[in-house]
Amino acid sequence: MAESPIRLSIFPLAGAILLPRAQLPLHIFEPRYQALVKDAMARDRRIAMIQPREENGDTPALFDIGCIGKVAEVEAMDDGRFNLILEGLTRFRMVRELDATTPFRQIEAVIEEFGDDAVAEPLSIAMRGGLIDESKKFAAALGYAVDWEAVDTLDDETLVNMIAQVAPFDTVAKQALLEAPTIDDRSELLIQFMQFFRMHQQAGGDDRATLQ
């Protein structure tokens, strides 16, 4: 039997993806998203992250797939802003946008197809080694200082998702990483994107390689 759509309040943010069992820190300063946080805290603490397809206008078109997050930590400031940390629950597929009267946008979505409740399969030794090796080259190209001993202690899913979230890829690449069915698929994409970035830099490009 097909799953009934659920209603979600969304935070469209280009270049920022949330993944199941990962965390995403957010600084909320726009009044409409302050209202979103207040509404979420009064109900179920859920906020759905989704990327806009373009960054123009107040209601840009959206990608179909995003991720539901639950507010794990929140700091309310005197001026109405919030600092919060979202914990990823499950990805969703948007069915339609609702005609909402709230300052923030709302959608109907389904979630059953993703199976994000299942424990992620571990990476092969070769895949993990290749990902860390490419990450070191990528970090060196960007001039990042990384505690690689700490990285080595991360489990496979945390490692893959952390790189996917923090790497400065464009919106299209971020969306591809979000939509990757498994962490193995996501790891393969990460290696390809990091290699592409380094080739772009070596060819004299800037620090924001784009796949668009």
Side-chain angles (χ1 to χ4, degrees):
M1 186 174 66
E3 179 193 6
S4 298
I6 58 174
R7 188 181 186 111
L8 295 171
S9 300
I10 60 169
F11 184 5
L13 186 60
I17 56 170
L18 179 64
L19 293 157
R21 290 172 292 280
Q23 293 188 332
L24 180 66
L26 293 169
H27 177 65
I28 308 297
F29 59 91
E30 287 189 55
R32 57 181 165 171
Y33 298 127
Q34 292 175 13
L36 169 61
V37 172
K38 291 174 184 176
D39 180 75
M41 296 306 294
R43 294 186 301 105
D44 55 10
R45 301 175 74 96
R46 295 196 307 175
I47 295 173
M49 299 298 300
I50 192 167
Q51 291 199 115
R53 291 184 181 272
E54 66 271 334
E55 297 186 43
N56 298 323
D58 288 336
T59 56
L62 305 168
F63 282 99
D64 293 333
I65 295 173
C67 186
I68 302 170
K70 188 167 186 176
V71 178
E73 298 180 26
V74 61
E75 175 191 10
M77 302 181 179
D78 292 339
D79 60 4
R81 293 176 297 150
F82 293 95
N83 288 323
L84 54 86
I85 294 177
L86 283 185
E87 287 187 351
L89 299 177
T90 183
R91 288 170 290 178
F92 63 83
R93 181 181 297 276
M94 182 174 66
V95 175
R96 67 186 181 100
E97 183 161 0
L98 299 172
D99 185 14
T101 59
T102 53
F104 47 87
R105 299 166 72 179
Q106 298 185 48
I107 63 170
E108 282 189 345
V110 292
I111 62 174
E112 69 175 6
E113 68 184 88
F114 296 101
D116 287 332
D117 291 339
V119 176
E121 292 290 329
L123 299 176
S124 68
I125 294 174
M127 177 65 77
R128 182 180 173 106
L131 177 62
I132 290 179
D133 181 61
E134 191 57 47
S135 297
K136 288 179 178 179
K137 295 175 184 176
F138 183 70
L142 286 170
Y144 288 174
V146 179
D147 183 349
W148 293 108
E149 288 188 4
V151 169
D152 285 339
T153 67
L154 298 175
D155 65 81
D156 290 343
E157 186 177 38
T158 301
L159 171 66
V160 172
N161 291 348
M162 180 189 70
I163 298 170
Q165 287 184 305
V166 304
F169 299 137
D170 66 26
T171 300
V172 172
K174 290 281 189 175
Q175 191 67 26
L177 291 166
L178 172 66
E179 295 183 17
T182 68
I183 65 163
D184 197 74
D185 297 320
R186 193 169 295 138
S187 181
E188 290 245 22
L189 279 177
L190 279 170
I191 291 171
Q192 292 172 21
F193 292 161
M194 288 188 287
Q195 289 173 340
F196 172 80
F197 179 94
R198 291 195 299 107
M199 289 172 62
H200 173 80
Q201 268 209 332
Q202 289 167 3
D206 58 27
D207 286 350
R208 292 289 297 184
T210 177
L211 300 182
Q212 300 187 69

